[in-house]
Amino acid sequence: MPFLVGVTIVGIIMLSGVFFQLTDLIIVKDIPIILVLRLLFYYLPEIMVETFPVAVLFATIYGMSRLSRENEFTALRMGGISLYRLIWPLIILGVIISMMTFIINEEIVPQANHKAQNIIRRSILKQAVPDVKEGVFLKGPEGRIFYVSKYDEKNNTLTRIVEKWRGLLFKYYHLF
């Protein structure tokens, strides 16, 4: 029970920052509520993974302090039970929760983050396509600069494109 309470409390605290950003999307950028709710759904696995360690710590401290406060440690020691035997269930639960966190973090979180980024790129940012002309440098995403040698307006194709990325790399494209 203390673990679930810890997950709930820390989750609500972490969701408060996300709620602020999402309400900003609804109010300022006029994004539909359904889209924002989908975005929140895709953020939940990452928030859940971040809450597990704090919740385990909270539950362990709460459980051990309650045993100490009610003198259960003394009663167990008088009954012949060692402290090592008391710690094994905590270690086993810690390993199980760590494995669950690892699996969620490696399998579910990347897919959810990718879907959330797709929603942000497609619906929220809506970056306009620059006006393409021959012999003009164009600024692209992530600091990329493009130079288009030829632009065919009829077929809407670009040929002999040179890309400069972060001042380090040039690429040459020849599209047909």
Side-chain angles (χ1 to χ4, degrees), residues 136-141 144-148 161-164 173:
V136 175
F137 287 93
L138 304 171
K139 189 173 183 179
R144 293 179 178 184
I145 299 172
F146 296 95
Y147 177 77
V148 179
I161 302 169
V162 178
E163 175 188 10
K164 181 180 179 185
Y173 301 99

Side-chain angles (χ1 to χ4, degrees), residues 5-54:
V5 169
V7 167
T8 304
I9 291 171
V10 176
I12 289 171
I13 291 169
M14 294 183 80
L15 277 174
S16 65
V18 174
F19 281 140
F20 179 72
Q21 293 173 349
L22 295 179
T23 54
D24 184 52
L25 292 176
I26 293 171
I27 295 169
V28 175
K29 297 195 179 196
D30 200 32
I31 304 297
I33 293 174
I34 299 295
L35 195 62
V36 173
L37 289 176
R38 281 184 51 208
L39 200 57
L40 175 65
F41 177 74
Y42 290 134
Y43 281 142
L44 283 178
E46 183 176 4
I47 291 171
M48 192 172 67
V49 164
E50 291 175 359
T51 62
F52 282 171
V54 177

Side-chain angles (χ1 to χ4, degrees), residues 160-171:
R160 294 190 304 209
I161 302 169
V162 178
E163 175 188 10
K164 181 180 179 185
W165 184 58
R166 295 184 184 175
L168 300 173
L169 181 63
F170 284 91
K171 293 182 182 178

Side-chain angles (χ1 to χ4, degrees), residues 130-142:
D131 187 27
V132 179
K133 296 178 183 172
E134 284 185 13
V136 175
F137 287 93
L138 304 171
K139 189 173 183 179
E142 298 178 12

